[in-house]
Amino acid sequence: MSQQFSEYIKIIGKGQKGSRSLTREEAYHAMKMVLADKVTGEQRGAFLMLLRTREETPEEVIGFIDACRELLAPDLSTLTPQIDIGCYAGKRRQLPWYLLAVALLARKGYTVMLHGAHEPGSGRLYASKALPLLGLPPATDIPHAKSQLAQVGVTYLDLSHLLSPLNKLIKLREFFGLRSCANTLARLLNPTLAKCCVQGVYHMHLDHKHCRVNEAFPEFDALCFRGDGGDPEVNSERDTELFITRSGQTQEIILPAQTQKWALKDTAMDVNDMLKFWRGEIQHAYGQQAVIATLASYLVLLEDISVERGIALALELWNQREATQFPFSG
Protein backbone atom coordinates (compact mmCIF):
# COMPACT_ATOMS: atom_id res chain seq x y z
CA MET A 1 0.00 0.00 0.00
CA SER A 2 1.24 3.53 -0.81
CA GLN A 3 0.99 5.82 2.20
CA GLN A 4 1.52 8.86 -0.02
CA PHE A 5 -1.43 7.88 -2.22
CA SER A 6 -3.61 7.38 0.85
CA GLU A 7 -3.25 11.10 1.48
CA TYR A 8 -4.77 11.87 -1.92
CA ILE A 9 -7.71 9.58 -1.13
CA LYS A 10 -8.18 11.40 2.18
CA ILE A 11 -8.19 14.79 0.46
CA ILE A 12 -11.09 13.92 -1.83
CA GLY A 13 -12.92 11.47 0.43
CA LYS A 14 -13.11 13.07 3.87
CA GLY A 15 -16.79 13.86 3.75
CA GLN A 16 -18.74 16.91 2.61
CA LYS A 17 -17.09 19.28 5.07
CA GLY A 18 -13.62 17.78 5.35
CA SER A 19 -12.82 17.00 1.72
CA ARG A 20 -11.59 19.26 -1.05
CA SER A 21 -10.57 18.92 -4.66
CA LEU A 22 -6.98 18.25 -5.68
CA THR A 23 -4.72 20.98 -6.99
CA ARG A 24 -3.29 20.56 -10.49
CA GLU A 25 0.03 19.44 -9.01
CA GLU A 26 -1.61 16.97 -6.59
CA ALA A 27 -3.75 15.58 -9.40
CA TYR A 28 -0.65 15.17 -11.56
CA HIS A 29 1.23 13.20 -8.90
CA ALA A 30 -1.81 11.08 -8.00
CA MET A 31 -2.55 10.08 -11.59
CA LYS A 32 1.14 9.47 -12.25
CA MET A 33 1.11 6.90 -9.43
CA VAL A 34 -2.08 5.29 -10.74
CA LEU A 35 -0.73 4.98 -14.28
CA ALA A 36 2.60 3.64 -13.01
CA ASP A 37 0.72 0.96 -11.03
CA LYS A 38 2.25 2.17 -7.77
CA VAL A 39 -1.03 1.85 -5.86
CA THR A 40 -3.03 -1.16 -4.75
CA GLY A 41 -6.15 -2.23 -6.60
CA GLU A 42 -8.22 -1.12 -3.62
CA GLN A 43 -6.62 2.33 -3.61
CA ARG A 44 -7.10 2.74 -7.32
CA GLY A 45 -10.76 1.73 -7.13
CA ALA A 46 -11.48 4.00 -4.15
CA PHE A 47 -9.79 6.95 -5.84
CA LEU A 48 -11.57 6.57 -9.17
CA MET A 49 -15.01 6.00 -7.66
CA LEU A 50 -14.71 8.89 -5.20
CA LEU A 51 -13.95 11.11 -8.17
CA ARG A 52 -16.86 9.60 -10.05
CA THR A 53 -19.26 10.34 -7.18
CA ARG A 54 -18.59 14.08 -7.06
CA GLU A 55 -17.07 14.51 -10.58
CA GLU A 56 -13.60 15.82 -11.32
CA THR A 57 -12.89 19.54 -11.35
CA PRO A 58 -11.27 21.09 -14.45
CA GLU A 59 -8.08 21.67 -12.45
CA GLU A 60 -7.94 17.98 -11.49
CA VAL A 61 -8.49 16.91 -15.08
CA ILE A 62 -5.70 19.24 -16.24
CA GLY A 63 -3.32 17.65 -13.73
CA PHE A 64 -4.37 14.17 -14.84
CA ILE A 65 -3.76 15.13 -18.49
CA ASP A 66 -0.29 16.38 -17.55
CA ALA A 67 0.50 12.95 -16.11
CA CYS A 68 -0.93 11.11 -19.11
CA ARG A 69 0.97 13.11 -21.71
CA GLU A 70 4.22 12.60 -19.85
CA LEU A 71 3.91 8.84 -20.40
CA LEU A 72 3.07 8.87 -24.11
CA ALA A 73 5.40 6.97 -26.43
CA PRO A 74 8.18 9.29 -27.72
CA ASP A 75 7.78 8.11 -31.33
CA LEU A 76 4.26 9.56 -31.40
CA SER A 77 6.05 12.79 -32.28
CA THR A 78 6.69 11.27 -35.74
CA LEU A 79 2.93 11.49 -36.40
CA THR A 80 1.90 14.97 -37.49
CA PRO A 81 -1.86 14.96 -38.21
CA GLN A 82 -3.64 18.25 -38.63
CA ILE A 83 -6.66 17.19 -36.59
CA ASP A 84 -7.13 14.75 -33.71
CA ILE A 85 -10.50 13.06 -33.09
CA GLY A 86 -11.18 10.77 -30.13
CA CYS A 87 -13.72 7.97 -30.70
CA TYR A 88 -14.47 6.59 -27.25
CA ALA A 89 -18.23 6.44 -26.69
CA GLY A 90 -19.30 3.84 -29.23
CA LYS A 91 -22.67 4.09 -31.00
CA ARG A 92 -25.81 2.28 -29.84
CA ARG A 93 -28.70 4.10 -31.57
CA GLN A 94 -27.23 5.09 -34.92
CA LEU A 95 -24.26 4.04 -37.03
CA PRO A 96 -20.99 6.02 -36.72
CA TRP A 97 -21.82 8.35 -39.61
CA TYR A 98 -19.14 10.80 -38.51
CA LEU A 99 -16.57 8.44 -40.04
CA LEU A 100 -17.83 9.44 -43.49
CA ALA A 101 -17.26 13.08 -42.52
CA VAL A 102 -13.69 12.10 -41.60
CA ALA A 103 -13.27 10.42 -44.99
CA LEU A 104 -14.35 13.63 -46.73
CA LEU A 105 -11.88 15.65 -44.66
CA ALA A 106 -9.07 13.38 -45.84
CA ARG A 107 -10.21 13.74 -49.45
CA LYS A 108 -9.98 17.52 -49.01
CA GLY A 109 -6.33 17.06 -48.04
CA TYR A 110 -6.45 17.08 -44.24
CA THR A 111 -4.60 14.46 -42.22
CA VAL A 112 -6.67 12.96 -39.41
CA MET A 113 -5.68 11.01 -36.30
CA LEU A 114 -8.45 8.84 -34.88
CA HIS A 115 -7.99 7.01 -31.59
CA GLY A 116 -10.31 5.09 -29.32
CA ALA A 117 -10.96 2.10 -27.11
CA HIS A 118 -13.73 -0.38 -26.48
CA GLU A 119 -15.37 -1.51 -23.28
CA PRO A 120 -16.17 -5.21 -22.79
CA GLY A 121 -19.86 -6.03 -22.80
CA SER A 122 -21.02 -2.51 -23.65
CA GLY A 123 -23.07 -3.60 -26.66
CA ARG A 124 -21.89 -0.53 -28.60
CA LEU A 125 -20.51 -0.27 -32.11
CA TYR A 126 -17.03 1.23 -31.92
CA ALA A 127 -15.12 2.98 -34.68
CA SER A 128 -12.48 0.23 -34.67
CA LYS A 129 -15.14 -2.28 -35.76
CA ALA A 130 -16.69 -0.10 -38.46
CA LEU A 131 -13.53 1.30 -40.08
CA PRO A 132 -12.27 -1.95 -41.72
CA LEU A 133 -15.57 -2.27 -43.62
CA LEU A 134 -15.11 1.31 -44.84
CA GLY A 135 -11.60 0.60 -46.11
CA LEU A 136 -9.38 1.50 -43.14
CA PRO A 137 -8.04 -1.27 -40.88
CA PRO A 138 -6.84 -0.02 -37.48
CA ALA A 139 -3.11 0.62 -37.33
CA THR A 140 -1.13 -2.11 -35.58
CA ASP A 141 1.60 0.22 -34.30
CA ILE A 142 2.94 3.75 -34.67
CA PRO A 143 4.97 3.10 -37.87
CA HIS A 144 1.83 1.61 -39.45
CA ALA A 145 -0.13 4.71 -38.40
CA LYS A 146 2.52 6.94 -39.99
CA SER A 147 2.22 4.98 -43.23
CA GLN A 148 -1.58 5.28 -43.24
CA LEU A 149 -1.42 9.02 -42.70
CA ALA A 150 0.90 9.34 -45.70
CA GLN A 151 -1.13 7.05 -47.98
CA VAL A 152 -4.76 7.57 -46.91
CA GLY A 153 -4.66 10.75 -44.84
CA VAL A 154 -6.33 9.02 -41.90
CA THR A 155 -5.22 6.54 -39.28
CA TYR A 156 -6.86 4.88 -36.28
CA LEU A 157 -4.75 3.82 -33.29
CA ASP A 158 -6.21 1.99 -30.34
CA LEU A 159 -5.51 3.58 -26.95
CA SER A 160 -3.58 0.42 -26.04
CA HIS A 161 -0.88 1.57 -28.49
CA LEU A 162 -0.91 5.15 -27.23
CA LEU A 163 -1.12 4.81 -23.46
CA SER A 164 -1.69 1.28 -22.26
CA PRO A 165 -2.13 2.17 -18.55
CA LEU A 166 -5.00 4.55 -19.41
CA ASN A 167 -6.56 1.89 -21.60
CA LYS A 168 -6.50 -0.48 -18.61
CA LEU A 169 -8.39 2.10 -16.54
CA ILE A 170 -11.11 2.32 -19.19
CA LYS A 171 -11.46 -1.47 -19.13
CA LEU A 172 -12.19 -1.32 -15.38
CA ARG A 173 -15.79 -0.51 -16.20
CA GLU A 174 -16.24 -4.27 -16.48
CA PHE A 175 -15.59 -4.47 -12.72
CA PHE A 176 -17.02 -1.15 -11.49
CA GLY A 177 -20.13 -1.14 -13.62
CA LEU A 178 -19.39 2.58 -14.11
CA ARG A 179 -17.13 4.63 -16.29
CA SER A 180 -14.31 6.58 -14.67
CA CYS A 181 -12.46 9.77 -15.51
CA ALA A 182 -10.30 7.68 -17.85
CA ASN A 183 -12.87 8.13 -20.62
CA THR A 184 -12.69 11.91 -20.23
CA LEU A 185 -8.89 11.87 -20.21
CA ALA A 186 -8.71 9.79 -23.37
CA ARG A 187 -10.94 12.26 -25.23
CA LEU A 188 -8.79 15.18 -24.10
CA LEU A 189 -5.46 13.44 -24.67
CA ASN A 190 -4.59 14.73 -28.18
CA PRO A 191 -1.58 12.39 -28.10
CA THR A 192 0.27 13.91 -31.10
CA LEU A 193 -0.55 17.49 -30.05
CA ALA A 194 -2.26 18.05 -33.38
CA LYS A 195 -3.06 21.69 -34.11
CA CYS A 196 -6.79 20.94 -33.91
CA CYS A 197 -8.65 18.53 -31.63
CA VAL A 198 -12.30 17.38 -31.61
CA GLN A 199 -14.08 16.06 -28.51
CA GLY A 200 -17.58 14.65 -28.43
CA VAL A 201 -19.26 14.35 -25.02
CA TYR A 202 -22.61 13.01 -23.86
CA HIS A 203 -23.62 14.45 -20.50
CA MET A 204 -24.82 18.01 -20.03
CA HIS A 205 -22.18 20.41 -18.67
CA LEU A 206 -19.28 18.12 -19.64
CA ASP A 207 -18.75 20.37 -22.65
CA HIS A 208 -18.23 23.33 -20.31
CA LYS A 209 -15.68 21.34 -18.28
CA HIS A 210 -13.83 20.37 -21.45
CA CYS A 211 -13.64 24.05 -22.40
CA ARG A 212 -11.97 24.95 -19.13
CA VAL A 213 -9.44 22.16 -19.66
CA ASN A 214 -8.82 23.10 -23.31
CA GLU A 215 -8.17 26.70 -22.26
CA ALA A 216 -5.20 25.46 -20.20
CA PHE A 217 -3.52 24.14 -23.35
CA PRO A 218 -3.40 27.07 -25.81
CA GLU A 219 -0.90 25.29 -28.08
CA PHE A 220 -3.81 23.73 -30.00
CA ASP A 221 -7.37 24.65 -30.96
CA ALA A 222 -10.27 22.49 -29.80
CA LEU A 223 -13.88 21.81 -30.66
CA CYS A 224 -16.18 20.24 -28.07
CA PHE A 225 -19.89 19.50 -28.38
CA ARG A 226 -22.54 17.13 -27.11
CA GLY A 227 -22.43 14.48 -29.80
CA ASP A 228 -24.74 11.61 -30.65
CA GLY A 229 -24.20 9.00 -27.96
CA GLY A 230 -21.13 10.93 -26.80
CA ASP A 231 -19.17 10.39 -30.02
CA PRO A 232 -17.86 13.28 -32.19
CA GLU A 233 -20.97 13.29 -34.39
CA VAL A 234 -23.43 16.16 -34.67
CA ASN A 235 -27.08 15.13 -34.46
CA SER A 236 -28.68 18.12 -36.13
CA GLU A 237 -32.20 17.04 -35.27
CA ARG A 238 -31.63 19.72 -32.61
CA ASP A 239 -29.51 22.84 -32.30
CA THR A 240 -25.93 21.99 -31.32
CA GLU A 241 -23.67 24.23 -29.24
CA LEU A 242 -20.18 24.15 -30.70
CA PHE A 243 -17.56 25.27 -28.16
CA ILE A 244 -14.40 26.30 -29.98
CA THR A 245 -11.30 27.15 -27.97
CA ARG A 246 -8.49 29.07 -29.66
CA SER A 247 -5.42 30.46 -27.87
CA GLY A 248 -7.01 29.79 -24.49
CA GLN A 249 -10.29 31.57 -25.27
CA THR A 250 -13.61 29.79 -25.90
CA GLN A 251 -16.33 30.89 -28.28
CA GLU A 252 -19.81 29.35 -28.43
CA ILE A 253 -21.35 28.91 -31.89
CA ILE A 254 -24.80 27.50 -32.57
CA LEU A 255 -25.15 25.00 -35.39
CA PRO A 256 -28.91 25.13 -36.11
CA ALA A 257 -31.02 22.00 -36.49
CA GLN A 258 -31.10 20.83 -40.11
CA THR A 259 -34.21 18.67 -39.88
CA GLN A 260 -37.45 18.46 -37.88
CA LYS A 261 -37.73 14.68 -38.19
CA TRP A 262 -36.45 12.48 -35.38
CA ALA A 263 -34.90 9.20 -36.46
CA LEU A 264 -35.92 5.92 -34.89
CA LYS A 265 -33.24 3.71 -33.38
CA ASP A 266 -31.34 1.71 -35.99
CA THR A 267 -31.90 -1.84 -34.77
CA ALA A 268 -29.76 -3.44 -37.49
CA MET A 269 -26.63 -1.25 -37.09
CA ASP A 270 -25.28 -2.65 -40.36
CA VAL A 271 -22.14 -0.79 -41.48
CA ASN A 272 -22.90 -1.89 -45.03
CA ASP A 273 -25.69 0.70 -44.98
CA MET A 274 -22.99 3.36 -44.67
CA LEU A 275 -21.28 1.98 -47.77
CA LYS A 276 -24.54 1.87 -49.71
CA PHE A 277 -25.29 5.45 -48.69
CA TRP A 278 -21.79 6.56 -49.72
CA ARG A 279 -22.29 4.91 -53.11
CA GLY A 280 -25.68 6.53 -53.58
CA GLU A 281 -27.51 3.20 -53.56
CA ILE A 282 -29.82 4.15 -50.68
CA GLN A 283 -31.11 7.30 -48.99
CA HIS A 284 -30.73 7.74 -45.25
CA ALA A 285 -32.25 10.79 -43.59
CA TYR A 286 -30.30 10.56 -40.35
CA GLY A 287 -27.06 9.70 -42.11
CA GLN A 288 -27.42 12.64 -44.51
CA GLN A 289 -27.82 15.29 -41.84
CA ALA A 290 -25.21 13.68 -39.56
CA VAL A 291 -22.48 13.60 -42.21
CA ILE A 292 -23.08 17.16 -43.43
CA ALA A 293 -23.52 18.75 -39.99
CA THR A 294 -20.54 16.89 -38.52
CA LEU A 295 -18.27 17.77 -41.43
CA ALA A 296 -19.42 21.38 -41.20
CA SER A 297 -18.46 21.53 -37.52
CA TYR A 298 -14.99 20.11 -38.27
CA LEU A 299 -14.50 22.68 -41.04
CA VAL A 300 -15.56 25.55 -38.76
CA LEU A 301 -12.73 24.50 -36.42
CA LEU A 302 -10.10 23.86 -39.10
CA GLU A 303 -10.76 26.82 -41.38
CA ASP A 304 -12.23 29.32 -38.90
CA ILE A 305 -15.29 29.89 -41.08
CA SER A 306 -18.95 30.53 -40.33
CA VAL A 307 -21.42 27.73 -39.76
CA GLU A 308 -23.25 28.71 -42.96
CA ARG A 309 -20.04 28.49 -44.99
CA GLY A 310 -19.17 25.22 -43.27
CA ILE A 311 -22.49 23.64 -44.26
CA ALA A 312 -22.16 24.85 -47.85
CA LEU A 313 -18.62 23.49 -48.11
CA ALA A 314 -19.65 20.19 -46.53
CA LEU A 315 -22.42 19.76 -49.09
CA GLU A 316 -19.98 20.57 -51.88
CA LEU A 317 -17.48 17.97 -50.66
CA TRP A 318 -20.24 15.37 -50.32
CA ASN A 319 -21.52 15.96 -53.82
CA GLN A 320 -17.98 15.77 -55.25
CA ARG A 321 -17.02 12.51 -53.50
CA GLU A 322 -15.76 9.51 -55.48
CA ALA A 323 -18.77 7.32 -54.73
CA THR A 324 -17.37 4.29 -56.57
CA GLN A 325 -14.41 4.03 -54.18
CA PHE A 326 -14.34 2.99 -50.54
CA PRO A 327 -14.62 6.03 -48.24
CA PHE A 328 -11.05 5.39 -47.12
CA SER A 329 -8.75 4.59 -50.03
CA GLY A 330 -5.18 5.62 -50.78
Side-chain angles (χ1 to χ4, degrees), residues 89-92 94-96 122-127 129-130 231 269-271 274:
K91 301 298 291 293
R92 60 180 178 180
Q94 301 292 338
L95 290 161
S122 71
R124 294 172 179 255
L125 175 61
Y126 291 96
K129 301 299 181 184
D231 260 333
M269 296 291 277
D270 186 351
V271 178
M274 296 175 69

Side-chain angles (χ1 to χ4, degrees), residues 67-78:
C68 289
R69 289 193 179 139
E70 193 174 274
L71 294 177
L72 290 169
D75 53 348
L76 277 170
S77 62
T78 65

Side-chain angles (χ1 to χ4, degrees), residues 30-39 71 165:
M31 184 54 65
K32 190 172 181 180
M33 293 179 71
V34 170
L35 294 173
D37 208 19
K38 292 184 177 179
V39 302
L71 294 177

Side-chain angles (χ1 to χ4, degrees), residues 51-268:
L51 289 171
R52 166 77 187 201
T53 299
R54 63 129 169 98
E55 298 187 2
E56 310 80 25
T57 66
E59 187 173 12
E60 288 171 333
V61 174
I62 292 166
F64 295 159
I65 289 292
D66 290 337
C68 289
R69 289 193 179 139
E70 193 174 274
L71 294 177
L72 290 169
D75 53 348
L76 277 170
S77 62
T78 65
L79 303 180
T80 55
Q82 292 163 291
I83 184 168
D84 172 277
I85 304 176
C87 316
Y88 286 91
K91 301 298 291 293
R92 60 180 178 180
R93 291 190 59 85
Q94 301 292 338
L95 290 161
W97 294 99
Y98 68 94
L99 296 177
L100 297 186
V102 170
L104 292 170
L105 268 189
R107 288 169 179 269
K108 192 177 187 300
Y110 287 106
T111 49
V112 187
M113 169 76 170
L114 302 173
H115 52 97
H118 62 276
E119 299 168 16
S122 71
R124 294 172 179 255
L125 175 61
Y126 291 96
S128 57
K129 301 299 181 184
L131 283 168
L133 296 174
L134 301 176
L136 185 75
T140 54
D141 53 29
I142 294 174
H144 186 192
K146 186 176 182 179
S147 175
Q148 284 187 328
L149 281 174
Q151 294 178 16
V152 187
V154 185
T155 190
Y156 174 94
L157 261 176
D158 192 82
L159 185 62
S160 60
H161 297 299
L162 300 172
L163 189 55
S164 179
L166 186 60
N167 187 57
K168 290 178 180 177
L169 293 188
I170 285 180
K171 297 292 193 290
L172 289 176
R173 184 186 184 184
E174 184 177 6
F175 302 98
F176 296 151
L178 294 169
R179 288 179 171 177
S180 69
C181 63
N183 297 78
T184 297
L185 301 182
R187 285 175 167 85
L188 289 159
L189 191 58
N190 191 5
T192 65
L193 293 183
K195 175 56 181 171
C196 292
C197 176
V198 177
Q199 303 147 10
V201 299
Y202 179 73
H203 293 291
M204 193 174 293
H205 306 310
L206 264 181
D207 44 11
H208 296 274
K209 182 186 295 185
H210 275 240
C211 292
R212 302 292 82 77
V213 176
N214 289 328
E215 288 165 0
F217 300 104
E219 57 268 30
F220 58 84
D221 299 340
L223 162 65
C224 181
F225 60 89
R226 291 182 65 202
D228 186 71
D231 260 333
E233 176 178 297
V234 174
N235 180 350
S236 65
E237 295 170 332
R238 58 177 182 268
D239 292 353
T240 299
E241 296 172 299
L242 304 178
F243 293 93
I244 297 183
T245 305
R246 303 186 194 276
S247 303
Q249 299 294 320
T250 300
Q251 176 187 15
E252 180 184 347
I253 300 173
I254 301 298
L255 198 163
Q258 303 297 304
T259 177
Q260 300 300 316
K261 296 181 179 180
W262 287 81
L264 298 176
K265 180 178 180 180
D266 187 339
T267 55

Side-chain angles (χ1 to χ4, degrees), residues 2-75:
S2 169
Q3 192 61 42
Q4 179 185 355
F5 194 78
S6 295
E7 293 303 311
Y8 296 132
I9 296 176
K10 284 182 183 179
I11 289 172
I12 64 174
K14 220 173 180 181
Q16 291 185 349
K17 295 183 178 179
S19 65
R20 64 170 174 83
S21 59
L22 300 172
T23 65
R24 178 175 181 171
E25 184 176 3
E26 289 168 339
Y28 160 76
H29 287 294
M31 184 54 65
K32 190 172 181 180
M33 293 179 71
V34 170
L35 294 173
D37 208 19
K38 292 184 177 179
V39 302
T40 67
E42 291 84 355
Q43 287 179 316
R44 179 181 59 192
F47 183 72
L48 293 175
M49 290 301 100
L50 281 169
L51 289 171
R52 166 77 187 201
T53 299
R54 63 129 169 98
E55 298 187 2
E56 310 80 25
T57 66
E59 187 173 12
E60 288 171 333
V61 174
I62 292 166
F64 295 159
I65 289 292
D66 290 337
C68 289
R69 289 193 179 139
E70 193 174 274
L71 294 177
L72 290 169
D75 53 348

